[in-house]
Amino acid sequence: MTGEGRKAAVTHLAYLDAGSGSLIVQAVVGGVAGVAVAAKLYWRRLVTRFRRQPTDQG
Amino acid sequence: MTVPDTGVRVEPGSFRDPGNRVFHRAGEVLRGLDERSARDWRALSASDLFRDLTAAGHLVGTEELVPTPVDVPWAAVLRHDRIPFVSHPYEWSYAMLRDAALLHLDVLRAALEAGFTTKDGSAYNVQWRGARPVFIDVGSFEALRDGEPWAGYRQFCQTLLYPLLIQAHLGLDFQPFLRARIDGVEPDQMRRLFAGTRRWRAGVPTHVHLHGAMQARHADASSSDVRAQLRAAGFSRELALATVRGLTRLVRRLDHRPGDSHWTDYQRTCAYSVPDRQAKEDFVDRAAAATAPHSALDLGANDGRYARIAARHAAYVVAVEQDPGVVDVLYRALRDEGEGRILPLVMDLADPSPGGGWRGVERAAFVDRARADLVLALALVHHLAIGRNVPLPDVLDQLAALTEPGGSLVVEFVHPDDPMARRLLANKPDGLFPDYRWDAFEALLARRGRVVARAELPSGTRTLYQVVMGG
Ligand SMILES: C[S@@+](CC[C@H](N)C(=O)[O-])C[C@H]1O[C@@H](n2cnc3c(N)ncnc32)[C@H](O)[C@@H]1O
């Protein structure tokens, strides 16, 4: 239930704004290959964050 | 009007994409394109995609004005075939919305295969020629950048898929949802509607719950970053196509029929005797022939019997009916006949579509779109005057306002002692409608136009009039 109500701003996306979440979910909807893409995306993000963390806290 | 001198009228419903804009001039529907949109158009118009979609009637006929007019601020100007009557998705029946969704997906699939995509995914990209949907937003095509998901998916969900899910899974009419929200229903709202065990219905776990959760989670991420990340992670055109196939399968599965409603078997249960019906059909046919109308409106059209008679003489007929189930049955019948000149619409005439969107003019109100040379109001007036308590003079004012000057109104008066009128009156306090009488009705008609034909039906409780409206 993260963000329900709290992030009401997401519901007012601009007309030609594809919406970040809406882009990612399409990968998942596209079947097994898509899930793999989404997983890779998250994995890369995780790694990036992990690498950055020490400096981020400074 | 700000620029009456050049005769240009900018279409108030076309400003969401700053790169191109529809305007009207001298009866023509034109679209101005900026440099970038002009490049997209030239790539599109040179493609097989454009040729095939146009030939199949899936894309509105479009050509470029050469040379480009110099008195407008655009890099290129297109001329579109005119859509005979512009309607809004909340005026469509369920099967119409579903067919519009399928057309949009089909156009997108063909585009992706040809190396194009569409910038958006809105139900408003589709209009109708009779019972045939047509994609009108030629400005929406652009070159596909490989590795990118469909930018229109969110809009497709909000204006097409979600309304279909609401009706198919919950049995709620979708029209009020779309009428109330110009951008459609948001994932966040959908999640609340589809809580509990409903979350497992077809299409709901992914397109509603996962989608909503992802939006909330990525609210702060910019979509260009996400695009780049998806491309780096290997998103491909094949994946985009798989998504479109999945959506198409889902929409096909949502083959729901709005319940058999009260009027669906009207033609079977109504009070018409065979001689009455024959006399009525003859009268309408003669009145339509005498009017030789370009456009016709059938108000309270039910199964469309009289809309079809009007279509013998008119170039285009809009058949308006309040009952969404009845309109759905009519639409399916017309679609299966391949009818291109009768457009069925869901509309309560006691509460017709108001103007909507920016300044209330982005989506034009029904009464501002619907003037016709021939207006049929058959066995309708008693529904408004008795059923909805609209004063009889106001009913006639509205009918007159819908009829072009010099055009014909064909109206049926159901006498208070007719069984159908009695049924409506029985639900109201006694003596509530003292003015609902044929002599009062005729006096009101005479004040608004010239009665050129009049016929009493054999049963003796119904009278038909053809009135040529002032001018
Ligand atoms: C008695 S039937 C007449 C059908 C057809 N016009 C005929 O003459 O056989 C009345 C029709 O008008 C429709 N109707 C009643 N009130 C309406 C309203 N406020 N707006 C639009 N349609 C309405 C009903 O749903 C029904 O289909």
Side-chain angles (χ1 to χ4, degrees), chain B residues 210-225:
Chain B
L210 187 64
H211 190 176
M214 293 285 219
Q215 274 202 352
R217 210 187 137 119
H218 296 277
D220 303 329
S222 91
S223 47
S224 38
D225 287 352

Side-chain angles (χ1 to χ4, degrees), chain B residues 263 266 280 300 302 306 321-322 347-349 378-379 383-384:
Chain B
W263 287 103
Y266 162 79
K280 183 164 160 178
N302 200 273
Y306 298 96
E321 164 61 48
Q322 70 172 0
M347 182 92 51
D348 177 358
L349 290 160
L378 303 168
H383 286 283
L384 296 169

Side-chain angles (χ1 to χ4, degrees), chain B residues 266-350:
Chain B
Y266 162 79
Q267 295 292 350
R268 256 175 289 134
T269 56
C270 78
Y272 283 112
S273 60
V274 172
D276 263 23
R277 160 150 326 142
Q278 194 55 56
K280 183 164 160 178
E281 289 184 1
D282 290 347
F283 188 90
V284 173
D285 190 64
R286 252 179 285 126
T291 308
H294 177 71
S295 55
L297 259 179
D298 184 9
L299 305 174
N302 200 273
D303 69 356
R305 172 183 299 266
Y306 298 96
R308 290 171 198 271
I309 293 176
R312 291 178 197 155
H313 308 283
Y316 204 73
V317 183
V318 179
V320 165
E321 164 61 48
Q322 70 172 0
D323 187 321
V326 171
V327 178
D328 208 55
V329 172
L330 174 58
Y331 166 70
R332 286 162 185 273
L334 294 170
R335 175 189 66 188
D336 296 346
E337 294 158 27
E339 177 59 64
R341 294 188 304 117
I342 302 178
L343 172 68
L345 292 181
V346 180
M347 182 92 51
D348 177 358
L349 290 160

